[in-house]
Amino acid sequence: MEGAARVIARRGVRGLRVEELAAEASVSTALIYYHFKDRAGILRATLEFINDRAGRYTTERSPDLPPLDARGELEQTLLLELQDAPDVRENSTAWGELRACAVFDPDLRDDLARATRVWVREVAELVGQVHPMASEAALSGAAERLTALVEGLSSRWLSGSLPLPHARDLMSSAITAELDRLG
């Protein structure tokens, strides 16, 4: 799956060739087709892998560090999507490629919409820990705006049109604005 994320990040979804993926993963094309059946299966599994990996790098903390409060958890989760680390760059680039391709691929669109709903729900829960009395609709709206902003800032940063520190500052300001709006 790491190979698939790398190939998609490098070549895009339309540029994904099973032969190149097999070479990247050092396995045979037959083995890839055996496990994933078809291209849609590869894309679905890659999307799941990207989500799982993002979940790890946005939530794992050293046990030596003090625990975060609710706001700290929210900020960490969103700001760690904007860090200059190879797996984050690869994840964000592949996610953007999958999102762009979903415009033309209804099957991928459904899978991506499902993954996005899960992400929004997770962020809404984090926002709800900061403002437990906020309505479900208000939490969901804040989470939609924050996750959409992360995606947009990430795209701008990765394409070189926005410096990473500025993207992180914009994200921090947006978190403050959303929390103030709820409070």
Side-chain angles (χ1 to χ4, degrees), residues 1 5 12 14 25 34 51 53 56 59 67-68 72 74 81 83 94 102-103 116 120 130 144 153 155 157 168:
M1 296 312 348
R14 291 179 186 219
Y34 175 79
N51 285 333
R53 184 164 64 174
R56 284 191 303 277
T59 59
L68 295 171
L74 174 64
E81 291 284 355
Q83 59 175 317
V103 170
T116 301
V120 168
V130 179
E144 284 280 359
L153 291 172
S155 289
W157 160 57
R168 291 177 62 86

Side-chain angles (χ1 to χ4, degrees), residues 68-88:
L68 295 171
D69 63 3
R71 182 187 177 118
E73 288 284 341
L74 174 64
E75 287 177 340
Q76 173 182 282
T77 297
L78 294 172
L79 290 173
L80 287 178
E81 291 284 355
L82 299 168
Q83 59 175 317
D84 196 5
D87 55 342
V88 177

Side-chain angles (χ1 to χ4, degrees), residues 10-153:
R10 192 171 50 238
R11 301 238 187 256
V13 173
R14 291 179 186 219
L16 176 66
R17 302 288 176 258
V18 176
E19 298 77 19
E20 184 179 0
L21 172 55
E24 183 78 28
S26 299
V27 298
S28 71
T29 56
L31 186 61
I32 290 174
Y33 281 117
Y34 175 79
H35 281 287
F36 303 107
K37 307 297 182 236
D38 56 17
R39 185 177 167 81
I42 294 167
L43 295 177
R44 230 181 333 278
T46 304
L47 181 60
E48 187 176 318
F49 170 79
I50 289 169
N51 285 333
D52 290 346
R53 184 164 64 174
R56 284 191 303 277
Y57 66 67
T58 58
T59 59
E60 288 180 352
R61 285 180 45 82
S62 169
D64 301 336
L65 295 174
L68 295 171
D69 63 3
R71 182 187 177 118
E73 288 284 341
L74 174 64
E75 287 177 340
Q76 173 182 282
T77 297
L78 294 172
L79 290 173
L80 287 178
E81 291 284 355
L82 299 168
Q83 59 175 317
D84 196 5
D87 55 342
V88 177
R89 281 179 164 275
E90 188 174 274
N91 255 31
S92 296
T93 304
W95 178 268
E97 291 292 333
L98 288 162
R99 181 168 297 293
C101 190
V103 170
F104 305 102
D105 184 338
D107 292 333
L108 184 55
R109 187 178 313 142
D110 291 342
D111 292 333
L112 195 68
R114 232 180 334 276
T116 301
R117 282 192 301 272
V118 168
W119 187 29
V120 168
R121 192 170 36 251
E122 289 169 354
V123 172
E125 288 171 8
L126 291 171
V127 174
Q129 290 174 11
V130 179
H131 286 290
M133 301 307 291
S135 72
E136 187 97 12
L139 296 174
S140 181
E144 284 280 359
R145 287 185 292 276
L146 290 171
T147 56
L149 183 60
V150 167
E151 287 182 3
L153 291 172

